Amino acid sequence: MILSPFEWMIAKRYLLPGRGEAFIALVAGISVGVVMLSVAMLVVVMSVMNGFRAELLDKIVGLNGHAIVQAYGGRLQNWEQVLEEVRDTPGVVDASPLIEQPLLTTFNGRVEAILVRGNTDEDLAALGEKVVLGDMKALVPDSGNVAIGSRLAQNIGARVGDTITIINPQGRSSPFGTVPRQIGYQVAAIFEIGVYDYDKAFVVMPMQDAQTLLLTGDAIGMIEVKVEDPDEVGEILAPVQEKVAGRAVVADWKTINATLFEALQVERVAMFFALSFMVVVAAFNILSSLVMLVRAKTRDIAIMRTMGATRRSLLKIFVTTGFTVGAIGTVAGLILGFIVLAFRQQIVRGIEIVTGQNLWDPSIRFLSTLPSRTDPVEVAGIVALALVLSFLATLYPAMKAASTDPVQVLRYE
């Protein structure tokens, strides 16, 4: 919609009401503010929800892969053949054997439930990026060294160099019953994944040591699989499921964490739907300010009509005026939203200091920090929603102004 110099001059004049039109200016300013806040809240909330899902998926997949081939009974015999079949499957990037078993650990009288993980040397080396204290290179077979999560270290009070005791209920038989195996391991490293449930439970050791602790011989518990496209993991591993039928089951990240990710998706859609109503409210504010402006400028409109202004020109003037208010609010909202996202962690800490409440408890939120990941497509959708509703809000007042009859207005002038 191209405006002539005359139309643009009048539109600019109406965007900046005069002294006697302070109330109209106030309503227009409120409209800009509501559009700004609604767009900013949508950008912030959707970015945080996307960041939460992406960060959680990255951390879970980084530790567990996109899927696991888990043996019935927890022990996969002749796993080398299955491992080769998995690696030869089209779409599979990597696969590695894994042992995982819930046990107990004790240190200085404190007892915690743990998940013992036996990893290959390659997986242990990859975990080295998450180490905060110690060195993963000390985890070699038969060394008696392990790495533990940072939250577990805090809970039991263990530090690098301390010896923790791992208790395996499956022990040796005696005249008095089964005696649990209690083996001491030295803490060689402390790591932090960033997911609370992992950091408070995982004890990582070489696979050979895990086999010795769990008395599994050469068997493993599962095979960890990574694929090219996580969203197509089910289709990629369908041939593997057929080959291992009766011996093992294939579970992907969608199945393992179905409840969590479905809840996130439902909350994401619900939040977008609820916050979109703020944009609707902003559009009604634009409509009301334009209606007031048209009523205040009825005499001016009639004079412009008598001077040759067409209905189309008046329509374009008032649509431009209202749409500009929405556009200014949208741009300001984007700027505000990105500023909030940039300083989100400081804002959370500031609110915690002021209120004295812990707003981001890792034991509830799973992650240690507030994540964010902005989707350009979603931002474009938010901008389009705000601009379209702003445009629609201008149509009724603009058509009302364009239909003004100058004869009726100026009859008694």
Side-chain angles (χ1 to χ4, degrees):
M1 185 173 61
I2 301 176
L3 275 67
S4 66
F6 162 74
E7 293 166 349
W8 182 240
M9 178 189 69
I10 300 300
K12 286 194 296 183
R13 171 66 182 82
Y14 287 168
L15 281 170
L16 301 171
R19 294 181 180 178
E21 302 159 347
F23 187 71
I24 297 176
L26 175 62
V27 175
I30 292 174
S31 301
V32 172
V34 175
V35 174
M36 177 185 69
L37 291 176
S38 60
V39 170
M41 287 188 65
L42 273 172
V43 170
V44 170
V45 170
M46 299 309 295
S47 297
V48 169
M49 294 296 293
N50 289 337
F52 196 92
R53 182 184 184 278
E55 194 76 11
L56 197 59
L57 178 59
D58 289 345
K59 291 183 182 297
I60 289 175
V61 168
L63 198 63
N64 292 327
H66 298 116
I68 57 172
V69 180
Q70 187 166 13
Y72 291 117
R75 295 188 182 185
L76 183 62
Q77 306 291 344
N78 301 321
W79 54 270
E80 293 88 349
Q81 180 184 355
V82 178
L83 181 62
E84 289 300 321
E85 292 176 349
V86 173
R87 287 176 174 173
D88 292 338
T89 303
V92 172
V93 176
D94 189 24
S96 59
L98 175 68
I99 294 176
E100 186 173 289
Q101 182 71 32
L103 297 176
L104 292 174
T105 187
T106 178
F107 178 74
N108 281 347
R110 299 179 181 179
V111 179
E112 288 285 338
I114 61 172
L115 274 175
V116 170
R117 286 175 62 95
N119 287 114
T120 62
D121 295 338
E122 293 79 6
D123 291 337
L124 292 176
L127 190 60
E129 300 175 357
K130 307 294 184 181
V131 171
V132 293
L133 290 172
D135 190 356
M136 292 294 293
K137 294 180 180 179
L139 271 68
V140 295
D142 300 323
S143 64
N145 293 331
V146 297
I148 65 175
S150 58
R151 298 285 177 175
L152 176 61
Q154 294 176 13
N155 292 342
I156 63 177
R159 297 174 294 181
V160 173
D162 290 336
T163 299
I164 62 174
T165 301
I166 296 180
I167 304 172
N168 180 11
Q170 182 181 2
R172 63 180 184 275
S173 299
S174 71
F176 304 100
T178 302
V179 179
R181 289 168 56 83
Q182 300 187 38
I183 302 178
Y185 292 92
Q186 186 176 16
V187 178
I190 297 175
F191 59 85
E192 183 169 340
I193 302 298
V195 180
Y196 181 83
D197 285 2
Y198 293 168
D199 291 335
K200 77 178 181 66
F202 277 164
V203 174
V204 178
M205 63 179 63
M207 182 172 296
Q208 294 88 332
D209 291 357
Q211 290 172 333
T212 301
L213 172 64
L214 300 173
L215 303 175
T216 61
D218 189 46
I220 63 170
M222 62 191 73
I223 295 175
E224 177 186 47
V225 185
K226 293 183 180 179
V227 298
E228 293 177 351
D229 187 355
D231 293 325
E232 302 294 332
V233 61
E235 292 77 5
I236 293 174
L237 296 181
V240 175
Q241 179 66 74
E242 297 177 0
K243 293 178 181 178
V244 300
R247 290 183 295 165
V249 61
V250 178
D252 58 41
W253 66 270
K254 297 179 183 179
T255 304
I256 298 171
N257 305 283
T259 303
L260 176 60
F261 284 102
E262 285 178 6
L264 284 176
Q265 183 64 19
V266 171
E267 184 177 1
R268 180 170 169 271
V269 174
M271 291 297 291
F272 181 83
F273 181 76
L275 292 176
S276 295
F277 277 100
M278 287 192 63
V279 183
V280 177
V281 172
F284 276 110
N285 278 342
I286 294 174
L287 187 148
S288 62
S289 65
L290 272 184
V291 169
M292 295 175 62
L293 181 62
V294 169
R295 291 182 63 87
K297 299 297 183 180
T298 301
R299 184 173 178 274
D300 294 355
I301 294 170
I303 293 174
M304 285 189 289
R305 286 295 310 278
T306 60
M307 294 175 64
T310 64
R311 293 178 185 272
R312 181 180 177 83
S313 293
L314 292 174
L315 187 68
K316 290 162 65 177
I317 288 170
F318 284 95
V319 167
T320 300
T321 302
F323 185 77
T324 303
V325 170
I328 293 173
T330 301
V331 173
L334 289 177
I335 295 173
L336 177 61
F338 290 136
I339 291 174
V340 171
L341 289 175
F343 297 96
R344 62 188 182 281
Q345 206 60 42
Q346 293 86 337
I347 293 173
V348 170
R349 292 194 187 118
I351 296 175
E352 288 178 342
I353 293 174
V354 172
T355 62
Q357 301 293 323
N358 185 2
L359 301 180
W360 195 259
D361 186 355
S363 63
I364 299 175
R365 310 291 184 180
F366 294 100
L367 302 179
S368 302
T369 58
L370 180 64
S372 170
R373 182 169 296 186
T374 303
D375 185 353
V377 175
E378 282 189 351
V379 172
I382 293 170
V383 171
L385 176 66
L387 294 180
V388 168
L389 289 178
S390 299
F391 173 75
L392 294 177
T394 65
L395 293 181
Y396 172 75
M399 288 188 291
K400 193 73 174 175
S403 62
T404 300
D405 185 356
V407 176
Q408 295 294 329
V409 174
L410 300 176
R411 175 180 296 180
Y412 301 105
E413 292 293 333

